[in-house]
């Protein structure tokens, strides 16, 4: 399965996906990495791995629709069949999400549906939860609300800061996202027409 990864920054999740796709057993081939920001570390990670990169700078577009249209064109140019949002900090338009429905995965640093939106780790600390974690889900038009594919829990420790919790959650992200990418790339999991996650028992 040809995979496109969208990033906005450091790309540690991208790195985990790259390492997974390198494994001989992997069904995923990352064919392009697209960043909405120039010069980010994720682009270097892709280049080091010999993966084609493109920068689609959202500041150069008059509308979300034009920005998304360019992203879509790049994905089509590379024959992408599955898109992974790995720390991609843009909200995609409904028409883009509709077109790529069931082929668009996102990772979020909380156990959805808890703590949607930005600073999920801070929300968890403020709520005083003892367990948080990460979620990989299919992207739906409502932000952070799509069908859940993989989750991994992590403990919240006394004295945790946003950074220490984010670091612990990221360790889980780097296991959960590659696992979810493989499940969908291999066909073991897919999204049904009525929006449910279907697991093929024989895969
Ligand atoms: C991750 O914590 C992810 O959950 C959130 O943004 C961060 C991306 O980090 N969406 P990286 O760029 O993958 O290191």
């Amino acid at each position: 399965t040809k995979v496109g990864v969208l990033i906005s920054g450091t790309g540690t999740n991208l790195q985990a996906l790259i390492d997974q796709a390198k494994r001989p057993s992997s069904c995923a081939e990352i064919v392009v990495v697209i960043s909405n920001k120039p010069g980010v570390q994720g682009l270097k990670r892709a280049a080091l791995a010999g993966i084609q990169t493109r920068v689609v700078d959202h500041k150069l577009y008059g509308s979300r629709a034009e920005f998304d249209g360019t992203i879509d064109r790049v994905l089509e140019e590379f024959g992408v069949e599955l898109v992974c949002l790995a720390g991609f900090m843009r909200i995609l338009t409904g028409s883009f999400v509709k077109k790529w429905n069931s082929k668009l995965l996102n990772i979020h640093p909380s156990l959805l549906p808890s703590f949607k939106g930005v600073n999920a780790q801070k929300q968890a600390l403020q709520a005083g939860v003892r367990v948080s974690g990460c979620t990989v889900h299919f992207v739906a038009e409502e932000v952070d609300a799509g069908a859940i594919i993989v989750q991994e829990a992590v403990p919240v420790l006394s004295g945790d800061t946003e950074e220490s919790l984010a670091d612990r959650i990221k360790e889980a992200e780097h296991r959960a996202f590659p696992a979810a990418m493989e499940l969908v790339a291999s066909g073991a999991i897919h999204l049904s027409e009525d929006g449910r996650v279907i697991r093929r028992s024989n895969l």
Side-chain angles (χ1 to χ4, degrees):
T1 300
K2 292 189 183 306
V3 175
V5 184
L6 275 51
I7 62 167
S8 300
T10 51
T12 64
N13 275 283
L14 165 66
Q15 190 61 59
L17 297 178
I18 288 171
D19 297 343
Q20 172 62 33
K22 275 181 191 158
R23 297 161 69 108
S25 61
S26 176
C27 298
E29 178 196 1
I30 300 174
V31 293
V32 65
V33 170
I34 304 172
S35 175
N36 67 300
K37 283 188 182 160
V40 295
Q41 191 182 350
L43 289 168
K44 296 184 186 65
R45 295 177 189 274
L48 274 175
I51 298 167
Q52 293 256 24
T53 62
R54 292 287 187 280
V55 173
V56 180
D57 185 340
H58 63 282
K59 293 199 287 291
L60 306 181
Y61 292 84
S63 71
R64 279 188 188 282
E66 285 167 306
F67 170 74
D68 288 10
T70 305
I71 300 275
D72 180 58
R73 252 193 315 283
V74 172
L75 294 170
E76 294 288 8
E77 175 194 334
F78 283 87
V80 167
E81 300 161 293
L82 178 59
V83 182
C84 292
L85 306 182
F88 186 64
M89 302 317 268
R90 302 286 302 166
I91 303 294
L92 293 160
T93 55
S95 50
F96 182 95
V97 170
K98 269 197 198 81
K99 169 175 179 182
W100 290 92
N101 185 41
S102 82
K103 297 172 184 161
L104 193 53
L105 310 187
N106 183 51
I107 184 135
H108 182 78
S110 75
L111 294 177
L112 291 173
S114 297
F115 314 134
K116 296 180 181 178
V118 294
N119 63 35
Q121 300 89 342
K122 185 175 184 180
Q123 292 181 54
L125 289 174
Q126 287 175 338
V129 296
R130 292 284 182 265
V131 175
S132 191
C134 64
T135 303
V136 185
H137 61 95
F138 285 107
V139 173
E141 288 185 61
E142 185 190 342
V143 177
D144 297 333
I148 292 170
I149 303 167
V150 170
Q151 291 188 304
E152 182 171 325
V154 308
V156 180
L157 305 176
S158 58
D160 257 338
T161 61
E162 269 186 75
E163 291 72 33
S164 62
L165 179 56
D167 288 346
R168 191 173 314 118
I169 291 173
K170 266 193 173 183
E171 287 170 20
E173 290 177 21
H174 300 161
R175 291 186 290 272
F177 213 167
M181 177 181 71
E182 282 303 330
L183 284 167
V184 179
S186 67
I189 274 189
H190 71 278
L191 189 65
S192 68
E193 282 305 308
D194 59 352
R196 285 175 303 109
V197 170
I198 308 291
R199 171 110 202 198
R200 287 211 177 85
S201 52
N202 61 329
L203 278 174

